[in-house]
Amino acid sequence: MAKHIFVTGGVVSSLGKGLTSASVGMLLERRGLTVRMQKLDPYINVDPGTMSPYQHGEVYVLDDGSETDLDLGHYERFTNSVLNRDSNYTTGQIYLSVITKERKGEFLGQTIQVIPHITNEIKAAVLKPAVPGVDVVITEIGGTVGDIESQPFLEAIRQMALDLGKENCLYIHLTLVPYLKAADELKTKPTQHSVGLLRQIGIQPDILICRSERSLTHEQRAKIALFCNVPIEAVIEEKDKTFSVYEVPLSLVEHGLDALIVRKLGLQTPEPDLTDWRELLERLRNPDHEVSIAVVGKYCEHRDAYKSIYEALDHGGIAHRARVRVQRIHSQQIESEGAEKLLAGVDGILVPGGFGERGIEGKVEAIRFARQQKIPCLGICLGMQCAVIEFARNVLGWAAAHSTEFNPATPHPVICLLDEQRNVTDKGGTMRLGAHPAVLATDSIAAQCYGKQEISERHRHRFEFNNDYRSEFAAAGMRIAGTSPDGMLVEIVELVDHPWFVAVQFHPEFKSQPIRPHPLFAGFVGAALRRRPARRDTTAQCQTA
Ligand code: GLN
């Protein structure tokens, strides 16, 4: 039977519960255990797919096409846990399922209540990843203890220890120990209150992970242990990481977290082998080169809107022992100030995915600049579509070319709605989603990067390259470098007369790991590095991430 670890958070949000859970998952895997990761989100949306990136950051897409919370990106970057629809549940999804059953008459006349119907549904969701062969399921509860929306989830995980036996469940609470400058002290009271709230609902945490900007003294840990009713060895410090999120697992090992977890769960495992992870941190700490990449998007002011892209760029840097300095540039700023001013001096330009017309012209301009100046350029999803629009307008001379997403009446609809989307009206979960195979052209940059011709990548789009224009594009120097296996959907375009210009309809960023950098990101950063010695001008006036 699988063991269950529940990770809750207290005091404030944004403590890094996702990163901590991912780190725990990784450490247990390194101890030879088979782990499954799961996130329960208290919001009422059925999934985050319909939410603006300003709300919760990027929407993270899985192979099976589920649109999920960005914490699942941490899980996939840190672990090899297989993620699917059962890896992310929201309040909306739980209620939708219970109400659907009620309408079908499945409850035989009962009054439907939060306890037991909603909590039973949550418990069933928590048990789904516990398939045969899985040793540990780690379930992270979104939100903060005390939130109204979290209550049913906490009640459900409280019941799990009764159902499965306390020896099979472990509760980890992540909390904040703030430093008060005026008092020059770390304060333990918020942690005491937060654990108090958990205990009120019947959960006694087994382990406390204390986020803090300073190290905790033995006395402070002893005080927290006493007031929160845990042994002192179970008060684990997690100091802020200023350098890289990939430091988190190593620091948790130093404080004995993984050893404590396996002991408490009665699991016999070897010590974790972290050689490759230490090597990765060494590469990050002591880079041989530096490279500057502009990410030209419209959600640049939001730290998490392009989370996986920023991570994948770092991974691309790791592949070349290079520090990647990301310049987040708002595409609307390009519209007002010009690509020449804002992008001069960058070594590479990345245009990410997105929806809606705002900022489109700035993205198109950034791509024009990259094409003409021969700056390495990676276009992703909407970025690929903008590359096609730019080429149509400025190389083929079709000044009003556009995507029908933005101008349905354009005389040159070079990007148009996918056939399968024509009758779709619902917004939630209806795009072309998840993993689809593609075949690469032999002579393409993409095939060189991947080192093979058959690939599978994740998608999230409604629009596509309009096949009517293929021959005109190819004749003018934009090569179709990858298509769906039946040849019907264009997946990759490249410029022939350019050192490195690759634009893809899919989202490679979702499959990049620090120890396995994605080939396209590694290729892109490599091309940017090769360009670097040639460039002189470093006048980019951009915001640094
Ligand atoms: N809006 C575009 C489409 O739906 C691009 C989507 C994206 O970048 N994820 O096709």
Side-chain angles (χ1 to χ4, degrees):
M1 188 176 111
K3 306 274 183 182
H4 288 264
I5 297 177
F6 300 103
V7 183
T8 56
V11 184
V12 292
S13 58
S14 304
L15 281 183
K17 248 188 312 160
L19 273 171
T20 304
S21 306
S23 303
V24 170
M26 174 212 156
L27 294 174
L28 296 184
E29 275 189 354
R30 296 305 177 104
R31 282 178 170 266
L33 298 167
T34 302
V35 174
R36 289 290 174 273
M37 306 287 308
Q38 183 186 53
K39 171 104 193 263
L40 303 180
D41 274 309
Y43 49 73
I44 297 171
N45 304 59
V46 171
D47 61 44
T50 51
M51 269 192 252
S52 152
Y54 288 119
Q55 299 281 311
H56 283 268
E58 83 179 358
V59 175
Y60 189 81
V61 182
L62 303 181
D63 269 347
D64 71 358
S66 333
E67 296 175 281
T68 70
D69 185 81
L70 59 76
D71 276 330
L72 277 80
H74 295 309
Y75 303 167
E76 285 205 327
R77 287 187 282 273
F78 281 71
T79 75
N80 298 314
S81 171
V82 176
L83 300 187
N84 57 28
R85 292 201 180 276
D86 297 332
S87 314
N88 192 196
Y89 282 89
T90 68
T91 294
Q93 216 170 318
I94 296 289
Y95 271 78
L96 183 64
S97 165
V98 170
I99 291 169
T100 308
K101 287 181 190 164
E102 185 273 332
R103 292 288 82 185
K104 285 189 186 155
E106 286 184 23
F107 294 111
L108 301 174
Q110 293 173 43
T111 305
I112 311 305
Q113 295 178 295
V114 172
I115 305 172
H117 299 95
I118 295 297
T119 46
N120 282 350
E121 191 72 25
I122 296 170
K123 288 195 290 181
V126 170
L127 287 175
K128 286 231 175 90
V131 293
V134 170
D135 300 308
V136 182
V137 177
I138 300 174
T139 301
E140 175 192 346
I141 320 294
T144 308
V145 170
D147 296 346
I148 289 178
E149 290 91 345
S150 310
Q151 296 288 334
F153 290 111
L154 296 173
E155 169 59 18
I157 64 164
R158 179 192 71 77
Q159 294 174 18
M160 297 286 299
L162 279 183
D163 296 356
L164 303 176
K166 180 62 195 83
E167 68 285 5
N168 294 315
C169 296
L170 186 86
Y171 297 90
I172 298 180
H173 189 57
L174 190 69
T175 169
L176 178 71
V177 180
Y179 170 72
L180 279 202
K181 210 165 163 196
D184 189 24
E185 257 183 71
L186 284 174
K187 290 296 186 186
T188 64
K189 190 74 81 188
T191 294
Q192 296 173 38
H193 280 300
S194 168
V195 173
L197 274 175
L198 263 182
R199 290 170 70 190
Q200 261 174 37
I201 50 179
I203 297 175
Q204 166 64 54
D206 299 292
I207 297 175
L208 298 176
I209 299 182
C210 302
R211 286 295 311 274
S212 173
E213 58 182 275
R214 306 200 164 193
S215 283
L216 271 65
T217 61
H218 183 80
E219 289 68 32
Q220 283 157 342
R221 288 175 58 222
K223 186 173 175 188
I224 293 172
L226 179 66
F227 280 89
C228 298
N229 196 30
V230 296
I232 186 166
E233 53 159 18
V235 179
I236 306 277
E237 159 191 321
E238 190 189 321
K239 228 171 96 181
D240 294 355
K241 301 286 165 290
T242 42
F243 169 64
S244 164
V245 294
Y246 300 119
E247 288 175 284
V248 174
L250 295 185
S251 115
L252 293 174
V253 166
E254 263 169 46
H255 291 94
L257 178 66
D258 55 320
L260 182 66
I261 291 175
V262 292
R263 200 168 72 240
K264 280 189 179 279
L265 285 173
L267 296 164
Q268 312 294 329
T269 71
E271 291 295 307
D273 178 3
L274 297 164
T275 321
D276 57 348
W277 206 265
R278 290 188 205 282
E279 151 77 10
L280 135 80
L281 277 163
E282 195 277 320
R283 278 174 170 246
L284 275 169
R285 262 197 206 104
N286 305 305
D288 292 337
H289 322 275
E290 190 174 301
V291 73
S292 119
I293 304 283
V295 173
V296 181
K298 76 168 172 183
Y299 311 113
C300 282
E301 62 276 38
H302 193 297
R303 219 167 44 107
D304 287 339
Y306 304 118
K307 182 91 196 156
S308 295
I309 286 183
Y310 299 141
E311 293 295 323
L313 282 171
D314 275 348
H315 306 163
I318 291 169
H320 298 277
R321 287 193 161 269
R323 170 172 298 141
V324 177
R325 292 235 175 259
V326 172
Q327 304 191 9
R328 295 189 271 167
I329 298 178
H330 204 294
S331 52
Q332 282 177 301
Q333 206 183 342
I334 297 215
E335 288 167 16
S336 52
E337 295 176 43
E340 270 72 9
K341 175 174 166 202
L342 293 175
L343 296 174
V346 302
D347 305 312
I349 295 175
L350 188 152
V351 181
F355 299 83
E357 200 179 354
R358 185 170 62 89
I360 288 290
E361 296 306 322
K363 292 179 184 178
V364 170
E365 260 305 282
I367 290 167
R368 179 201 48 83
F369 186 73
R371 179 177 56 77
Q372 290 178 339
Q373 299 297 315
K374 306 241 187 284
I375 300 171
C377 182
L378 177 58
I380 294 181
C381 206
L382 182 61
M384 177 265 204
Q385 298 173 358
C386 287
V388 170
I389 295 166
E390 192 281 322
F391 194 85
R393 289 182 185 174
N394 301 324
V395 178
L396 291 163
W398 305 334
H402 221 322
S403 162
T404 54
E405 180 178 3
F406 312 121
N407 178 8
T410 170
H412 290 101
V414 288
I415 302 293
C416 62
L417 199 62
L418 283 156
D419 272 345
E420 66 194 41
Q421 291 285 323
R422 296 209 188 277
N423 299 317
V424 173
T425 48
D426 276 6
K427 291 280 179 260
T430 56
M431 285 185 248
R432 177 172 182 245
L433 287 166
H436 292 278
V439 179
L440 311 181
T442 347
D443 56 345
S444 61
I445 298 174
Q448 239 172 49
C449 292
Y450 282 95
K452 57 182 180 185
Q453 275 176 269
E454 282 167 33
I455 59 162
S456 169
E457 291 283 2
R458 297 180 189 172
H459 296 70
R460 183 170 186 254
H461 66 122
R462 293 186 203 282
F463 293 81
E464 61 161 334
F465 184 102
N466 187 340
N467 285 333
D468 293 347
Y469 296 107
R470 275 198 200 187
S471 51
E472 277 127 312
F473 275 79
M478 182 172 265
R479 117 176 104 216
I480 310 295
T483 65
S484 53
D486 64 3
M488 292 310 288
L489 295 180
V490 173
E491 292 279 5
I492 308 178
V493 294
E494 294 179 359
L495 289 182
V496 176
D497 184 24
H498 192 286
W500 206 98
F501 189 111
V502 179
V504 297
Q505 185 56 78
F506 48 82
H507 290 271
E509 70 273 23
F510 294 143
K511 287 180 64 169
S512 190
Q513 289 186 311
I515 49 170
R516 237 168 271 120
H518 191 284
L520 285 181
F521 279 88
F524 174 51
V525 172
L529 268 172
R530 287 196 294 281
R531 176 188 153 82
R532 194 171 170 82
R535 85 176 169 81
R536 300 226 147 53
D537 183 3
T538 48
T539 54
Q541 300 173 359
C542 317
Q543 201 190 345
T544 300

